[in-house]
Amino acid sequence: MNIRGVRMAWDTRKQPPVVVKDGETTTYNMLITPEVPPEERLKVARKLVEALSQKPSDRTAQILVEFRKLNHTVDETELWCLLMRELVAVGREAVPQLCAELDRTTEDRMLRRLGFALRAIGDARAVPALIRAIPQTLLPSSSDYGLIVSDKELTDFMQTHDLDQGKGGTYFDLGRPGREIVGALHGLTGQNLDAAELFSMSLSEDPRRQVLQRRIYGRQAQRWQAWWEKNSRNFTDDAA
């Protein structure tokens, strides 16, 4: 329907119930917020980007703060895609801060975006942090997304760096956390250590199954760690 109310399918159970008694009529007044046109969203996003610091470390920190604000949704694509392009433009100087954020977060959307950003920057110094993040991607069930951003240049940028090998069309891809993190490892190292079993697994509600799932994710991280310890000097001389 492309409308947004104060009570939607994904949050209705977090609100007081609307009670309808037998034989009675109940009226519920739900506020509907009109959708902001894409052009307006882009205008607001560009204004925010213009206010960012030019110092690389401060600019990166400010973008991460904005990413955290948007972690409740994959909407507002104009804003976070524009921020993503600015973050990738910072380049290698942003990598230590992105790795530190990756070590801290367990949030679904932040894991996706950090994997995307590190893959796009292309600095192999991120590999250890990406390996450490593998167990963090064992999360409740979620979906890969095909998203639209209403700007041709941003669409081209996102399609250039997403996990889909092709370009063109309206959509770009944003994968589940595991796909984005492992996809970044593939992109940075050229290695595929067969992580397909992870992509069909989501965090179980059964604590006993969770133990087995964490072992599987841990073994995958250990395989990557063992490979990296043997091959890291082929990619970087940075001891840290």
Side-chain angles (χ1 to χ4, degrees):
M1 296 283 294
N2 291 325
I3 58 175
R4 185 59 56 87
V6 295
R7 191 181 194 113
M8 302 299 285
W10 54 84
D11 62 9
T12 184
R13 294 176 64 186
K14 299 176 183 177
Q15 302 185 46
V18 178
V19 179
V20 183
K21 296 182 179 180
D22 188 26
E24 297 183 5
T25 297
T26 296
T27 299
Y28 179 75
N29 184 15
M30 183 172 72
L31 177 67
I32 298 295
T33 303
E35 185 177 8
V36 179
E39 297 77 14
E40 286 298 315
R41 295 199 297 266
L42 270 173
K43 185 177 179 180
V44 171
R46 287 175 179 140
K47 187 175 181 180
L48 188 151
V49 167
E50 289 173 1
L52 294 175
S53 171
Q54 295 302 311
K55 184 179 178 181
S57 59
D58 291 345
R59 193 175 184 87
T60 300
Q62 290 167 354
I63 291 173
L64 289 174
V65 167
E66 295 302 323
F67 275 0
R68 293 184 202 118
K69 294 178 185 177
L70 298 170
N71 277 340
H72 64 287
T73 180
V74 295
D75 293 338
E76 301 177 89
T77 50
E78 285 77 16
L79 175 55
W80 75 259
C81 287
L82 194 58
L83 289 169
M84 179 68 75
R85 188 172 66 182
E86 295 301 315
L87 184 59
V88 173
V90 174
R92 286 176 51 85
E93 292 184 78
V95 169
Q97 287 167 270
L98 299 185
C99 290
E101 184 73 17
L102 191 55
D103 282 335
R104 282 192 295 266
T105 190
T106 57
E107 206 286 324
D108 181 296
R109 273 74 177 182
M110 183 63 89
L111 287 166
R112 296 176 191 241
R113 291 172 183 153
L114 291 172
F116 191 106
L118 290 168
R119 184 175 62 251
I121 292 172
D123 187 341
R125 292 179 301 158
V127 169
L130 289 163
I131 293 172
R132 292 193 296 271
I134 291 174
Q136 296 164 220
T137 65
L138 177 57
L139 295 169
S141 179
S142 62
S143 299
D144 300 323
Y145 292 104
L147 300 172
I148 296 175
V149 59
S150 58
D151 179 88
K152 188 177 183 305
E153 290 183 0
L154 280 178
T155 299
D156 184 68
F157 168 79
M158 298 302 291
Q159 289 179 346
T160 297
H161 298 293
D162 69 10
L163 292 169
D164 189 345
Q165 297 300 313
K167 289 186 67 175
T170 306
Y171 295 87
F172 69 88
D173 292 339
L174 184 67
R176 285 161 284 166
R179 291 190 66 237
E180 290 292 339
I181 294 297
V182 174
L185 285 169
H186 291 171
L188 294 176
T189 67
Q191 297 298 307
N192 185 345
L193 301 189
D194 191 19
E197 65 178 336
L198 306 187
F199 303 151
S200 60
M201 189 185 306
S202 56
L203 184 64
S204 173
E205 294 182 358
D206 183 345
R208 295 167 299 178
R209 290 194 65 194
Q210 289 181 12
V211 172
L212 298 175
Q213 290 176 324
R214 295 189 193 285
R215 287 176 184 169
I216 292 170
Y217 273 70
R219 283 198 297 267
Q220 181 66 19
Q222 288 167 4
R223 284 196 288 269
W224 272 104
Q225 182 180 351
W227 180 87
W228 180 248
E229 288 174 353
K230 291 180 180 178
N231 297 277
S232 60
R233 291 187 180 277
N234 296 329
F235 295 88
T236 179
D237 292 325
D238 188 327

